[in-house]
Amino acid sequence: MASTMLSIASATPSASLSMHEKLKGKVKLGSTTNSTAGFIKTKSFGRVSMVAAVNVSRFEGVTMAPPDPILGVSEAFKADTDEKKLNLGVGAYRTEELQPYVLDVVKKAENLMLERGENKEYLPIEGLAAFNKVTAELLFGADNSVLKEQRVATVQGLSGTGSLRLAAALIERYFPGAKVLISSPTWGNHKNIFNDARVPWSEYRYYDPKTVGLDFEGMIADIKAAPGGSFILLHGCAHNPTGIDPTPEQWEKIADVIQEKNHIPFFDVAYQGFASGSLDNDASSVRLFATRGMELLVAQSYSKNLGLYAERIGAMNVVCSSSDLAARCCEVAVIQVKSQLKRLARPMYSNPPVHGARIVANVVGNPALFDEWKAEMEMMAGRIKNVRQKLFDSLSAKDKSGKDWSFILRQIGMFSFTGLNKAQSDNMTNKWHVYMTKDGRISLAGLSLAKCEYLADAIIDSYHNVS
Ligand code: PLA
């Protein structure tokens, strides 16, 4: 703890004692004094010098922040010494042995990078050009007219979160007062991101606990009711935390309403390839909106699909208007938007990190590695599907109450939204050492086939014995 230091010189030591009594901290008397905090050194010349350290920090008014509802779970997990413990909190892929997994294609790309002896110079503010090119192609499809017509401003971001935060800053600066509508529920950090960027937000209905499915009517009604020109935040695929995505027909209707109301769709694509195992299928929602010529924002992340969690690699894409008449204006808009994204990025983090960008550029830009990646992603998505099935089978076999657990099979992506409430989720952790978020979400990517039975026991106990 830092200390406030007070130095008092006086003719006699006793003269200062009344002062001493008033001070809570340490008092040193002597001819040479080194402070405990190390920043005050006094020497006396015949006089008595006294240095008083008062243990009051200027940071004392900074209150304790609550642990993060997702990443805080990993911290609690680490502190648990029980060998049965299971971390189903954060959405991070694990092998059947519950070990972190570095994709083979990532290792191969890194070897190529080493062989080339690439340097560590700063990237431009907008990121690595080769990355920006392939990331937009992966998202929209290389032959999409939005790319051919150069209607997309793409900048490399600090993974999904950083890209969302950059877009939030753009909204705050250029669309003052505009609201962002987020799904209820959503990934918890969405609210933090818009709060920190001072962008007002409200929620649209999404999850219906009665059907354990999509509240499509509610969603449409709330998007319709939002002030025209709002930003509508949509999960491109594998909705977090519910695992419930609209059907292709429902996506069409969502696009209709957004178009009617002149809203701006804002996609968060954090799981491309992880929902279905196919990169193209998982981008179909975004492509549907882009094909309609709509203006949209899309944040991308490579944390999950390439397992590059700690490399912080992702992108922000802004698609500008398509009308032929507006072609010239659009070209200008793309350049302007990009220039402003750069201007926002510069004082926040200056320029993005290069390592992950090079990995993505190498994997996506190299046909052989790209095919290998797709196979590895199918393997990861496949393992999650197997675990999902086994969990459902275990629950159905063990639970004699007749409860229908089939909603688990209808959910997709990394997560299952179990419907367990906070008290039940607490029981999962406190009694069973199963770490999960308090909204009842479990990450199936952190589950092994071998642990499904144990997890089923924990869920059944928590569901039936805790109210
Ligand atoms: N968007 C959604 C919907 C996410 O679920 C996540 C990650 C991100 C963006 C951001 O990820 P990135 O910054 O690493 O690209 N959600 C995780 C991790 C997997 C987290 O909370 O940060 C989750 O457990 O929900």
Side-chain angles (χ1 to χ4, degrees):
M1 186 205 271
S3 304
T4 301
M5 307 298 293
L6 200 64
S7 181
I8 303 148
S10 70
T12 61
S14 58
S16 303
L17 287 181
S18 58
M19 175 68 86
H20 171 216
E21 277 153 23
K22 288 186 197 140
L23 298 172
K24 282 196 208 135
K26 300 177 190 119
V27 176
K28 287 188 176 176
L29 299 173
S31 59
T32 303
T33 309
N34 287 306
S35 85
T36 45
F39 54 82
I40 288 187
K41 201 175 180 186
T42 52
K43 218 172 182 176
S44 77
F45 298 92
R47 287 153 53 98
V48 172
S49 173
M50 193 182 88
V51 175
V54 184
N55 290 325
V56 174
S57 166
R58 268 74 53 85
F59 299 104
E60 234 170 20
V62 180
T63 55
M64 189 67 186
D68 183 78
I70 298 176
L71 299 185
V73 173
S74 299
E75 290 168 26
F77 171 80
K78 272 190 202 132
D80 188 336
T81 52
D82 195 287
E83 58 184 31
K84 294 188 294 300
K85 69 177 180 174
L86 203 49
N87 188 3
L88 308 183
V90 69
Y93 183 83
R94 299 280 179 266
T95 63
E96 180 60 25
E97 293 70 41
L98 298 183
Q99 294 306 308
Y101 179 62
V102 180
L103 276 75
D104 285 339
V105 282
V106 167
K107 291 182 193 157
K108 287 183 184 172
E110 283 179 326
N111 281 335
L112 284 175
M113 287 153 58
L114 259 184
E115 278 166 21
R116 288 185 202 135
E118 284 161 324
N119 65 43
K120 303 286 184 191
E121 290 285 291
Y122 287 132
L123 282 182
I125 303 172
E126 71 265 36
L128 186 72
F131 166 80
N132 288 346
K133 181 176 181 298
V134 298
T135 197
E137 289 176 355
L138 192 79
L139 179 65
F140 297 107
D143 54 0
N144 197 308
S145 57
V146 294
L147 295 179
K148 288 197 175 137
E149 294 161 14
Q150 302 190 325
R151 292 198 278 114
V152 190
T154 302
V155 298
Q156 187 185 327
L158 302 184
S159 209
T161 307
S163 305
L164 289 163
R165 182 65 180 76
L166 193 61
L170 186 79
I171 293 172
E172 192 270 336
R173 191 165 291 181
Y174 288 96
F175 300 83
K179 222 185 202 186
V180 175
L181 260 77
I182 58 181
S183 62
S184 172
T186 191
W187 176 50
N189 214 20
H190 282 149
K191 294 178 184 175
N192 298 333
I193 288 168
F194 295 113
N195 282 342
D196 275 11
R198 295 183 157 67
V199 172
W201 55 268
S202 64
E203 294 180 310
Y204 60 83
R205 279 168 281 174
Y206 192 83
Y207 174 71
D208 182 353
K210 285 197 272 345
T211 61
V212 199
L214 180 64
D215 179 359
F216 185 62
E217 303 305 317
M219 176 181 186
I220 292 291
D222 291 345
I223 293 175
K224 264 191 188 160
S230 296
F231 289 83
I232 312 296
L233 191 79
L234 301 158
H235 298 223
C237 64
H239 183 272
N240 179 4
T242 66
I244 301 160
D245 284 350
T247 63
E249 297 72 37
Q250 287 172 330
W251 275 120
E252 294 278 359
K253 291 206 176 108
I254 295 165
D256 288 344
V257 183
I258 289 181
Q259 251 175 333
E260 269 164 37
K261 289 285 316 221
N262 212 19
H263 293 322
I264 302 175
F266 181 173
F267 279 95
D268 180 359
V269 178
Y271 299 95
Q272 191 180 353
F274 246 88
S276 66
S278 154
L279 287 161
D280 288 325
N281 285 351
D282 290 355
S284 57
S285 56
V286 170
R287 292 179 190 177
L288 181 155
F289 281 63
T291 307
R292 286 186 177 211
M294 295 165 79
E295 305 209 284
L296 60 146
L297 306 178
V298 193
Q300 287 174 280
S301 163
Y302 290 92
S303 290
K304 272 67 74 171
N305 54 12
L306 255 177
L308 294 177
Y309 307 93
E311 296 296 351
R312 311 311 293 146
I313 177 67
M316 187 65 221
N317 302 270
V318 182
V319 181
C320 300
S321 161
S322 78
S323 119
D324 282 348
L325 281 177
R328 173 85 194 101
C329 302
C330 173
E331 216 176 281
V332 173
V334 170
I335 296 166
Q336 289 174 346
V337 165
K338 197 166 181 172
S339 74
Q340 291 297 344
L341 289 171
K342 287 164 65 177
R343 187 187 186 185
L344 288 161
R346 173 67 168 142
M348 276 205 264
Y349 55 85
S350 190
N351 50 74
V354 73
H355 192 75
R358 281 198 185 125
I359 294 172
V360 176
N362 276 300
V363 171
V364 182
N366 173 321
L369 288 185
F370 188 51
D371 284 345
E372 269 189 59
W373 178 34
K374 286 196 277 192
E376 272 190 289
M377 199 151 38
E378 272 169 36
M379 180 278 288
M380 291 190 287
R383 198 189 82 73
I384 297 171
K385 279 184 198 155
N386 290 342
V387 171
R388 191 182 280 287
Q389 181 69 48
K390 174 95 192 276
L391 177 63
F392 165 76
D393 292 343
S394 308
L395 283 165
S396 304
K398 284 169 180 277
D399 186 3
K400 306 296 179 208
S401 75
K403 179 176 164 57
D404 180 7
W405 293 97
S406 63
F407 66 87
I408 291 178
L409 296 180
R410 290 194 296 276
Q411 298 170 343
I412 58 167
M414 280 188 142
F415 302 109
S416 179
F417 205 46
T418 60
L420 295 176
N421 62 29
K422 186 179 174 304
Q424 292 163 338
S425 303
D426 282 341
N427 186 63
M428 295 282 287
T429 306
N430 300 341
K431 178 168 168 191
W432 293 86
H433 305 272
V434 174
Y435 288 79
M436 58 187 284
T437 54
K438 300 300 171 210
D439 57 0
R441 184 190 86 169
I442 53 175
S443 167
L444 297 179
L447 180 64
S448 60
L449 289 172
K451 297 273 188 179
C452 282
E453 302 249 331
Y454 178 76
L455 180 62
D457 287 335
I459 292 176
I460 291 167
D461 172 56
S462 305
Y463 182 77
H464 291 296
N465 301 330
V466 180
S467 61

